[in-house]
Amino acid sequence: MDKIVDKALREKTYREQALKMYPWICALCGRESSGKELRELTVHHKDHDHDNNPHDGSNWELLCIYCHDNEHSRNEVANAYSEETPGSKREPFTFKPFANLQDLTKSKK
């Protein structure tokens, strides 16, 4: 329970700091936020380390919830494709999609 409270307090603190430092605009899509929409503006940790919260805000950027979700899902997909499972060995790619291209583009006389 204490960890949840500490995390919530930490998030509140760095979010408040980031909102004071940066314009209320998504760093990726440029969507502006104010009023009720401000809750849709999130703090994204550039290095994905939620414990890395320098006071100058250099590890933060404000992203709308849509860009924030997209940013994290892109990393999850990339990580899933890059991980090798125990006991598996990746074979090198041998398919050459353009190997026959020259023959296909030769003019037929």
Side-chain angles (χ1 to χ4, degrees), residues 8-63:
L9 181 61
R10 181 182 69 219
E11 288 175 356
K12 183 180 181 200
T13 304
Y14 69 68
R15 184 170 193 278
E16 287 175 356
Q17 290 174 344
L19 289 173
K20 289 177 184 175
M21 287 180 184
Y22 298 110
W24 297 349
I25 299 171
C26 176
L28 293 179
C29 73
R31 176 179 286 149
E32 294 184 34
S33 298
S34 63
K36 287 184 177 182
E37 292 104 30
L38 190 58
R39 70 175 181 252
E40 296 177 356
L41 199 59
T42 63
V43 178
H44 174 68
H45 290 80
K46 295 176 186 178
D47 68 358
H48 300 274
D49 180 0
H50 291 243
D51 293 323
N52 183 9
N53 295 303
H55 293 291
D56 66 354
S58 58
N59 188 37
W60 305 328
E61 61 185 347
L62 295 177
L63 300 179

Side-chain angles (χ1 to χ4, degrees), residues 54-99:
H55 293 291
D56 66 354
S58 58
N59 188 37
W60 305 328
E61 61 185 347
L62 295 177
L63 300 179
C64 70
I65 57 174
Y66 309 106
C67 290
H68 200 179
D69 286 347
N70 184 43
E71 181 71 21
H72 284 281
S73 63
R74 283 190 297 132
N75 286 326
E76 289 172 11
V77 169
N79 290 340
Y81 280 102
S82 66
E83 292 177 4
E84 287 191 29
T85 57
S88 71
K89 181 181 177 187
R90 291 190 183 220
E91 297 296 323
F93 291 109
T94 57
F95 179 67
K96 298 179 181 174
F98 301 110

